[in-house]
Amino acid sequence: MIFYFSATGNCKYTAQKLSESLGDRMIDITKAMKNGDRVFRLEDGEDIGLVCPVYYGVLPDIVRRFLEGFSVRGSGSGYTYAVMTCGANSGNSKKKVEELFEAHDLPLTAFYSVRMVSTYIALLGGTSEKEAEKALVKADREI
């Protein structure tokens, strides 16, 4: 089960690539929050993944609120992972994800950071098409 939040499409793309590779289902955090879906049932042997962006070193508020209030039932595999997309680095997000998962007795097994095209234009300016293509090719290999 891959929980994801995507504002620009980077994380949805990443979650889709993981879903295709691992055979896991995707849960859109925005839709789950809108629908009031807070309890999720794991299939036997199913992993728990989180894919979301890092905004200037921290998790988006919607992701934090979702993880504070969600609940997972079922036997699952016990493997939990997080994939953060970022323009530069993942900042303090690993520590926060660990805290939020551990609050639900879900120790974080693995943490990954995938550098994508930065979407923080106000601070960093735009990315050229050539730079964006290079970043996406590299990100594909990392995913």
Side-chain angles (χ1 to χ4, degrees):
M1 180 179 306
I2 302 170
F3 296 102
Y4 77 95
F5 168 72
S6 188
T8 64
N10 284 343
C11 290
K12 184 175 183 180
Y13 175 81
T14 302
Q16 286 174 329
K17 296 285 277 186
L18 289 169
S19 176
E20 291 166 8
S21 176
L22 302 172
D24 287 342
R25 58 193 160 129
M26 295 169 48
I27 308 291
D28 182 336
I29 289 173
T30 303
K31 288 180 183 173
M33 292 286 283
K34 182 178 179 183
N35 296 334
D37 298 334
R38 302 305 285 232
V39 178
F40 301 89
R41 178 154 297 283
L42 288 171
E43 302 294 328
D44 288 341
E46 191 172 22
D47 301 334
I48 299 172
L50 171 68
V51 178
C52 71
V54 174
Y55 293 152
Y56 209 62
V58 297
L59 295 176
D61 189 55
I62 188 172
V63 174
R64 180 192 52 76
R65 285 186 290 120
F66 175 78
L67 292 176
E68 286 173 346
F70 87 131
S71 177
V72 178
R73 310 265 197 255
S75 56
S77 71
Y79 185 80
T80 60
Y81 66 92
V83 178
M84 305 288 109
T85 65
C86 55
N89 64 63
S90 59
N92 193 33
S93 60
K94 179 181 180 186
K95 182 175 172 50
K96 190 62 178 175
V97 171
E98 285 175 328
E99 290 172 4
L100 291 166
F101 272 42
E102 287 175 6
H104 300 284
D105 294 322
L106 299 168
L108 188 64
T109 308
F111 180 88
Y112 304 95
S113 178
V114 178
R115 192 167 181 191
M116 301 287 270
V117 176
S118 176
T119 57
Y120 193 27
I121 295 169
L123 178 65
L124 304 174
T127 302
S128 74
E129 189 173 335
K130 189 174 185 176
E131 289 172 324
E133 287 175 13
K134 280 176 64 175
L136 291 175
V137 167
K138 185 176 181 205
D140 260 358
R141 286 194 304 263
E142 291 178 7
I143 296 168

